[in-house]
Amino acid sequence: MSGVRGATGAGAAVPAPDGPSERRPILVSADRSRCMAAGHCAVTAPGVFDHAEDGLVVVAGPEQSEEEREVLELAVELCPSRALSLSPGAAPSAQGAAGRP
């Protein structure tokens, strides 16, 4: 989806991983000072976004998988106050992936 704004720069989408072995999470953040409580994010991705008692956005799940990319980009695009951003997470280390205690 083109035109998605996020931590990678205005108008830029979060780059997709280079291959199937690179499973980076997508980091989701929200600027509550910009939020105007429109609710598009919570309707689009209810498992990721919620609203606090004051009506402003709360990120319920800041680390999301690559499979959620499309819905996350849509939520960012639909946000009228541009309060949401996506950025690539750190790649899992080879040691951590091998089940290091």
Side-chain angles (χ1 to χ4, degrees), residues 13-29:
V14 176
D18 293 332
S21 63
E22 184 180 356
R23 304 302 291 174
R24 290 182 177 217
I26 298 172
L27 300 179
V28 181
S29 60

Side-chain angles (χ1 to χ4, degrees), residues 15-62:
D18 293 332
S21 63
E22 184 180 356
R23 304 302 291 174
R24 290 182 177 217
I26 298 172
L27 300 179
V28 181
S29 60
D31 182 348
R32 288 177 48 86
S33 69
R34 294 188 67 151
C35 179
M36 55 191 256
H40 300 312
C41 57
V43 170
T44 304
V48 179
F49 302 104
D50 200 354
H51 286 94
E53 287 185 27
D54 61 3
L56 300 179
V57 65
V58 174
V59 179

Side-chain angles (χ1 to χ4, degrees), residues 72-86:
L72 293 172
E73 288 179 346
L74 180 59
V76 169
E77 184 66 27
L78 291 175
C79 180
S81 61
R82 304 297 175 231
L84 308 178
S85 62
L86 306 176

